[in-house]
Amino acid sequence: MSEVKEKAMLAKQAAQSMGNLSTQQKNDALLLMADALVAEQESIIQANKLDLKRGEESGIGASLLDRLALNEQRIAAMAEGLKQVIELPDPIGDKLETFSRPNGLLVEKIRVPLGVIGIIYEARPNVTVDAAALCLKTGNAVVLRGGSSALNSNERIVEVLHSALSQSAIPVNALQLILSPDRSSVDEMLKLNGLIDVLIPRGGHSLIQNVVKNATVPVIETGAGICHTFIDQSAIHEMAVQIALNAKVQRPSVCNSMETLLVHEAYAAQHLASLADAFSQANVELRGEEKAKALVPYMKDASSEDWDTEYGDYILSVKVVSNLDEAMDHIRQHGTMHSECIVTEDAANASRFLQEVDAAAVYHNASTRFTDGFEFGFGAEIGISTQKLHARGPMGLPALTTTKFRVYGSGQIR
Amino acid sequence: MSEVKEKAMLAKQAAQSMGNLSTQQKNDALLLMADALVAEQESIIQANKLDLKRGEESGIGASLLDRLALNEQRIAAMAEGLKQVIELPDPIGDKLETFSRPNGLLVEKIRVPLGVIGIIYEARPNVTVDAAALCLKTGNAVVLRGGSSALNSNERIVEVLHSALSQSAIPVNALQLILSPDRSSVDEMLKLNGLIDVLIPRGGHSLIQNVVKNATVPVIETGAGICHTFIDQSAIHEMAVQIALNAKVQRPSVCNSMETLLVHEAYAAQHLASLADAFSQANVELRGEEKAKALVPYMKDASSEDWDTEYGDYILSVKVVSNLDEAMDHIRQHGTMHSECIVTEDAANASRFLQEVDAAAVYHNASTRFTDGFEFGFGAEIGISTQKLHARGPMGLPALTTTKFRVYGSGQIR
C-alpha cells in the first residue's frame, strides 16, 4: 500500500472517535503541542538548516529561503499561534437548529467534524503547525503534504507534535505528514474519495489550479486574488490616496492586495497625476491604458494580460473608466471574486457597488487588505475561500465542520 | 461557440442582476410559470407523446416510461409544486451576521445567489420545473441538461416557462435548457468553471459518479443511499418490525429506504424468524449471512457485494451482529453516510449511535424514510446532499445560496 493511502487510512480511523473529544481535551493537546515546539526548538532549527542548505544549493532564491527559514522567534510565533487557536470557541457540538415535527419527531442539526482534511501547501513550515492546530481543534484528522523544500523541517515538527499528542486525548494518528516528495503523492491525495473528506490547497496559482482541476475529493479553493479599487467621481482625494496606497503597498504579496486601480474619468482629470506620484514614491510601477497614460505619460503600457495578472508585487495596472457601470463591468470580467472596493461619497453608487459586485468581500471606503480572519475577528484562519460553496471569504473554525441531523423518535413511520 | 457555452454565458449575464430582484418579483414570475403550464398543458402532453413513442420504440421499459409520462394530473402537480415554492421564505438578502470592529469597520454577512447552477438529470420532466423554480426563487440562473429521453417534453416545458418569464421581472435567459442530446454536452458542462458556479447531478449512481469524478466545477453530490437499520437487543419488537418494514417497503426505489438490516444476536435469537416472515409477506427477498441464515434458513445467501449494493427494490440484506460496535463498524464500512437508524430502548446505546455514526441523518426509533425536505418541514428540496461540504442532508433554498461580506468604512487602512 502506498504511503499516502496508508496514512489516510490511519487518519480516517483516528477521526472516528474525535467527534467525542471535549473542548478541554483538545485544548490540552494544543497546549502540549505549543510547549513541545518550544522545548524542542533546537532540533527543529537543526532540521531546518538541512532544508536551507539544500535550498541554497539548488538556488531557490532569497525570498523563498526566507519563507523557509526557522529561528527561535518564528518557533515562538508558531507556539503563540497554537495558543490563539486554544482561545477560539469550539464549534463542534453546537446545535444550529432544533425543531419538532407534527408527528412528534424531534430534529436537531448539530455541528460535527468534517472527518479527514487534506492540506496541500508549499514552503513555509509554519503552515504545518497552523493547519494541524485548526484541524485538530475542530475534531478533524489531518493529512499534510507540504512542499518538498521544507521536508526535513516538517518531519521534525510533526515528530515533536506527535510526541505531544501521545500524552493527550487526541490520537497520534490524527496528524499525518506525507514524506514522499514525489508529485505522485499529491496526485494520489486528489483522488482519495472515501478516505479524505475535503482538500484545502494553500499556495500559488499553479498549485491551487492543479488541485481544483484534478481532484475528485471536494476542494475548498483558496487564494487567488485580483482585487480592484474603484475611485469614483465623488471620492475624497485624501481618503482615496490612503486606501489605494494601503491596498497596494502594505503587503503586495498577499491575495487581498490590490492589482488594478479603476479611476472615474472626472476624478482622474483632477487627481490621477498626484495619485500616480504617490504610488511612484512608494516604488510602485504603474501600467496604464491609453486614457490613464494620457494623464500620466510616465506610466508603462498595460497589455491585455495585465488585467488578468495577480502581480503580488510593487506593480499596479491603472484604468480610467467613464462611470460606475464600466468599473463594475471590468471587475466582472477580470476579478477573481475575492475583495473589491469602491471609494465614493455617493451613497447610491456605494449601495449599487456593494449589492451588484459579486465577491467574497465588498468594501465601501476601506482597504481590501481587511479581508482576513484576524481583521474580521475570527482569529486564526485556514485560508480565504474564493469559491462560493461551503465557505466564502476568511475561513474560521466553522468552515472546518459539517452538520448532521439527529432525529429522535418513538416509533414514527411514514 | 458550442450550445452549452453560449447558453451558460447567457445565463451568467442574466444572473448578474438577479440578486436585486425582490421576493415579490420572483414570486410573481413563479405564479406566471404555474399558470402557463396549466394553460399550455395540451401542447406539453403532445410533446410528451413524442418522447413516449420514441421511448417505446427504443424499448426503455415500463417503469422508465411511467416516469417519463405526463398527463393533466401530473402537470397540475408541477404547477402546484411551483406554488409551494412561492410559499417558501426567500433567503436572499438575509443578514446572517453583523458586527463592528474596533477600527470602526461595520461588517455584514449577507445571503446572495450562487450565480449559475447547472442541473444534470435523467428522465422525469417534472425535475425541469422543480429545479427551475428553486433556482429562480433564490435569484440564480439555471442551465438544465435533462435526459435525452425527455427532450421534446423538456423543450416544450421550457418554451412555456420562457413565455411566462417574458412577462416577469426575471430575465428569460435565466432559464436555459441544453437541447443537444450528445453526451459531450454533459462533459462540457462539467468543465465550465467561470460560467457555471455549481453543478447538482440528480439521477442514478452512474450519472452522479460521472459528474463527481469528471467535473472541475464544484459539485453538490446527491442521492446514493445504502441506509441501515440496527435493531438492538432491547428494541421493542412491534416497534422494530414497523420501523424496519417501513424503511424497506414504503418506497423501495428512493435513496432513504433501507438496504441492510443489522440485528443484535440476542434480539435475532428471539425475533428474527417472525421479522423475516413479515418481510416475506411484504414480498421482500431476504439475503442473509451465516448467522442470519442459521435462524431463517429460507434466506438466500448474501454475497460480499450485497453489503455495498443499493437495491432500490424489494430486496434486503440481513446481518446478525454481536453488539452495537459491530453494527457501527459495518455501517462505517458499507454505509454511504445518508441515513442510519438504531431501534433500541437503551439510552446509552442510542446516544452512542447518534453521536458516533457519521451520516447526514441519524435516527433513534424512527424510519430512515423521513430524510426528506418535506418531512423535515423545509418544503420542496433540490435533492439530498450526501457530501459534507456546503450542504448535508435535505437541501432547502439556503443550499442554493452563498454569502458575501459587505464592509462599510470611513477611510480605514491597515
Side-chain angles (χ1 to χ4, degrees):
Chain A
M1 191 182 298
S2 70
E3 183 203 7
V4 170
K5 189 163 185 196
E6 188 180 345
K7 289 186 171 174
M9 287 180 75
L10 290 171
K12 185 175 180 174
Q13 208 166 28
Q16 282 169 21
S17 60
M18 287 174 64
N20 301 327
L21 293 168
S22 70
T23 303
Q24 187 63 50
Q25 287 175 311
K26 291 183 283 191
N27 285 345
D28 288 349
L30 294 178
L31 189 59
L32 287 167
M33 287 161 64
D35 292 344
L37 285 175
V38 174
E40 298 291 336
Q41 61 185 358
E42 265 320 305
S43 67
I44 295 170
I45 290 169
Q46 287 311 313
N48 183 248
K49 280 184 179 155
L50 296 175
D51 287 331
L52 290 172
K53 183 157 172 275
R54 218 179 43 173
E56 272 170 26
E57 284 165 9
S58 63
I60 61 170
S63 81
L64 215 56
L65 279 177
D66 178 60
R67 286 186 184 192
L68 184 55
L70 291 178
N71 54 35
E72 290 189 12
Q73 289 73 38
R74 287 188 174 182
I75 292 175
M78 282 156 51
E80 188 49 42
L82 276 167
K83 288 179 185 168
Q84 287 173 1
V85 175
I86 291 173
E87 297 303 317
L88 296 178
D90 180 358
I92 298 302
D94 283 357
K95 286 186 195 174
L96 302 181
E97 291 173 37
T98 307
F99 52 91
S100 302
R101 299 296 303 151
N103 60 8
L105 284 181
L106 174 69
V107 184
E108 293 176 343
K109 187 176 182 181
I110 309 279
R111 264 202 201 285
V112 298
L114 279 166
V116 179
I117 299 176
I119 314 270
I120 298 172
Y121 55 106
E122 286 172 337
R124 289 186 303 168
N126 65 313
V127 175
T128 307
V129 177
D130 281 1
L134 293 163
C135 292
L136 296 176
K137 171 88 181 204
T138 40
N140 294 290
V142 58
V143 179
L144 300 170
R145 207 294 191 175
S148 54
S149 61
L151 192 57
N152 290 293
S153 314
N154 288 338
E155 185 174 8
R156 182 59 198 147
I157 288 170
V158 168
E159 281 171 8
V160 169
L161 299 181
H162 275 165
S163 74
L165 289 178
S166 71
Q167 301 163 53
S168 84
I170 296 181
V172 170
N173 279 333
L175 172 59
Q176 297 290 340
L177 175 72
I178 303 301
L179 295 173
S180 160
D182 288 355
R183 190 181 145 133
S184 65
S185 64
V186 172
D187 296 341
E188 198 182 347
M189 277 180 79
L190 303 186
K191 313 274 187 191
L192 275 190
N193 300 63
L195 290 178
I196 296 180
D197 292 288
V198 56
L199 289 168
I200 304 177
R202 289 184 59 171
H205 183 71
S206 70
L207 179 148
I208 291 170
Q209 285 309 304
N210 177 43
V211 174
V212 168
K213 291 214 172 106
N214 297 309
T216 52
V217 174
V219 174
I220 302 180
E221 186 172 351
T222 66
I226 297 180
C227 303
H228 302 76
T229 301
F230 168 52
I231 304 181
D232 196 12
Q233 175 167 17
S234 64
I236 296 170
H237 180 51
E238 296 70 30
M239 189 194 288
V241 174
Q242 290 265 327
I243 288 174
L245 263 183
N246 184 262
K248 180 73 247 179
V249 305
Q250 200 252 347
R251 200 169 165 203
S253 63
V254 291
C255 58
N256 58 18
S257 64
M258 170 176 62
E259 308 299 348
T260 300
L261 180 67
L262 303 168
V263 187
H264 189 286
E265 59 188 13
Y267 177 95
Q270 220 179 333
H271 296 300
L272 189 59
S274 72
L275 186 62
D277 288 348
F279 276 104
S280 297
Q281 279 159 34
N283 295 315
V284 176
E285 176 189 317
L286 298 172
R287 301 185 186 175
E289 47 56 85
E290 272 183 34
K291 284 201 232 169
K293 288 198 60 176
L295 293 164
V296 184
Y298 65 79
M299 282 190 192
K300 295 193 176 172
D301 279 325
S303 74
S304 63
E305 273 172 30
D306 278 291
W307 316 114
D308 296 307
T309 299
E310 185 176 6
Y311 303 114
D313 205 345
Y314 287 83
I315 306 172
L316 179 71
S317 52
V318 182
K319 183 176 184 179
V320 173
V321 296
S322 309
N323 51 42
L324 174 64
D325 283 296
E326 192 184 342
M328 293 199 296
D329 276 345
H330 181 96
I331 291 170
R332 207 172 276 128
Q333 276 194 300
H334 303 286
T336 54
M337 302 196 292
H338 191 300
S339 298
E340 305 293 354
C341 167
I342 183 171
V343 185
T344 189
E345 294 301 303
D346 181 323
N349 281 1
S351 172
R352 276 197 65 201
F353 188 92
L354 296 191
Q355 170 74 16
E356 294 178 29
V357 170
D358 186 17
V362 285
Y363 291 85
H364 176 210
N365 290 350
S367 166
T368 55
R369 288 278 294 111
F370 287 106
T371 305
D372 174 274
F374 282 104
E375 293 296 332
F376 277 14
F378 303 162
E381 62 169 44
I382 194 86
I384 296 173
S385 166
T386 52
Q387 70 181 37
K388 292 182 175 182
L389 282 193
H390 187 69
R392 198 177 194 203
M395 291 190 285
L397 293 182
L400 301 180
T401 69
T402 183
T403 58
K404 76 176 172 189
F405 290 104
R406 286 193 201 139
V407 186
Y408 300 87
S410 49
Q412 281 83 350
I413 60 171
R414 281 181 75 177
Chain B
M1 191 183 300
S2 70
E3 183 203 7
V4 170
K5 190 164 184 195
E6 188 180 346
K7 289 185 172 173
M9 286 179 75
L10 290 171
K12 185 175 179 173
Q13 208 165 27
Q16 281 169 23
S17 60
M18 287 175 63
N20 300 328
L21 293 168
S22 70
T23 303
Q24 187 64 52
Q25 288 175 310
K26 291 183 283 190
N27 285 344
D28 288 349
L30 294 177
L31 189 58
L32 286 167
M33 287 162 63
D35 292 344
L37 285 175
V38 174
E40 299 291 337
Q41 59 185 357
E42 266 319 306
S43 66
I44 295 170
I45 290 169
Q46 288 310 314
N48 184 247
K49 280 185 178 154
L50 296 176
D51 286 330
L52 290 172
K53 183 157 172 279
R54 218 180 41 173
E56 272 169 26
E57 285 165 9
S58 63
I60 62 170
S63 82
L64 215 56
L65 279 176
D66 178 61
R67 286 186 184 192
L68 185 53
L70 291 178
N71 53 35
E72 289 188 11
Q73 289 73 36
R74 286 188 175 181
I75 291 175
M78 281 156 50
E80 188 48 43
L82 276 167
K83 288 177 185 169
Q84 287 173 1
V85 175
I86 291 173
E87 298 303 317
L88 295 178
D90 180 359
I92 298 302
D94 283 357
K95 285 186 195 175
L96 302 181
E97 291 173 38
T98 307
F99 52 90
S100 301
R101 299 296 302 152
N103 60 9
L105 284 181
L106 174 69
V107 183
E108 293 177 344
K109 187 176 182 181
I110 308 280
R111 266 204 200 283
V112 298
L114 279 166
V116 179
I117 299 176
I119 314 269
I120 298 172
Y121 56 106
E122 286 170 340
R124 290 187 302 168
N126 65 313
V127 175
T128 307
V129 177
D130 281 1
L134 292 164
C135 292
L136 295 176
K137 171 87 181 204
T138 40
N140 294 290
V142 59
V143 179
L144 300 170
R145 207 294 190 174
S148 53
S149 61
L151 192 57
N152 290 293
S153 315
N154 288 338
E155 185 175 8
R156 182 60 198 146
I157 288 169
V158 168
E159 281 171 8
V160 169
L161 298 181
H162 275 166
S163 75
L165 288 179
S166 71
Q167 301 163 53
S168 83
I170 296 181
V172 170
N173 278 333
L175 171 59
Q176 298 289 341
L177 175 72
I178 303 302
L179 295 174
S180 160
D182 289 354
R183 189 181 146 133
S184 65
S185 64
V186 172
D187 295 342
E188 198 182 346
M189 275 180 80
L190 303 186
K191 313 274 187 193
L192 276 190
N193 300 62
L195 291 179
I196 296 181
D197 292 289
V198 57
L199 289 168
I200 305 177
R202 289 184 59 171
H205 183 71
S206 71
L207 180 147
I208 290 171
Q209 285 308 304
N210 177 44
V211 174
V212 169
K213 291 214 174 107
N214 297 310
T216 51
V217 174
V219 174
I220 302 180
E221 186 172 351
T222 67
I226 297 180
C227 303
H228 302 76
T229 301
F230 168 51
I231 304 181
D232 197 11
Q233 175 167 18
S234 64
I236 297 170
H237 182 50
E238 295 70 31
M239 189 194 288
V241 173
Q242 290 265 326
I243 288 174
L245 262 183
N246 183 264
K248 179 74 249 179
V249 306
Q250 199 251 347
R251 199 170 166 201
S253 63
V254 291
C255 58
N256 57 19
S257 66
M258 170 176 61
E259 309 299 348
T260 299
L261 180 66
L262 303 169
V263 187
H264 189 285
E265 58 187 12
Y267 176 94
Q270 220 179 331
H271 298 299
L272 189 59
S274 71
L275 186 62
D277 288 348
F279 276 103
S280 297
Q281 279 159 32
N283 295 315
V284 176
E285 175 188 318
L286 298 172
R287 301 185 185 174
E289 46 58 83
E290 273 183 33
K291 285 200 229 169
K293 288 198 59 177
L295 293 164
V296 185
Y298 65 79
M299 282 189 191
K300 296 194 176 171
D301 280 324
S303 73
S304 63
E305 274 172 27
D306 278 290
W307 316 115
D308 295 308
T309 300
E310 185 175 6
Y311 303 115
D313 205 344
Y314 288 83
I315 306 172
L316 179 71
S317 51
V318 182
K319 183 175 184 180
V320 173
V321 296
S322 310
N323 51 41
L324 173 64
D325 283 297
E326 192 184 343
M328 294 199 296
D329 276 345
H330 181 96
I331 291 170
R332 207 171 278 129
Q333 274 192 302
H334 303 286
T336 54
M337 302 195 292
H338 190 299
S339 299
E340 306 292 354
C341 166
I342 184 172
V343 185
T344 190
E345 294 301 303
D346 182 324
N349 280 2
S351 172
R352 275 197 65 203
F353 188 93
L354 297 190
Q355 170 74 15
E356 293 179 29
V357 170
D358 186 18
V362 285
Y363 290 84
H364 177 210
N365 289 350
S367 166
T368 55
R369 288 278 294 112
F370 287 106
T371 305
D372 174 276
F374 281 104
E375 293 295 332
F376 277 14
F378 302 163
E381 62 170 44
I382 194 87
I384 297 173
S385 166
T386 52
Q387 70 181 36
K388 292 182 175 182
L389 281 193
H390 187 68
R392 198 177 195 203
M395 290 190 286
L397 293 181
L400 300 179
T401 70
T402 183
T403 58
K404 76 175 172 189
F405 290 104
R406 285 193 202 139
V407 186
Y408 300 87
S410 49
Q412 281 83 351
I413 59 170
R414 280 179 76 177

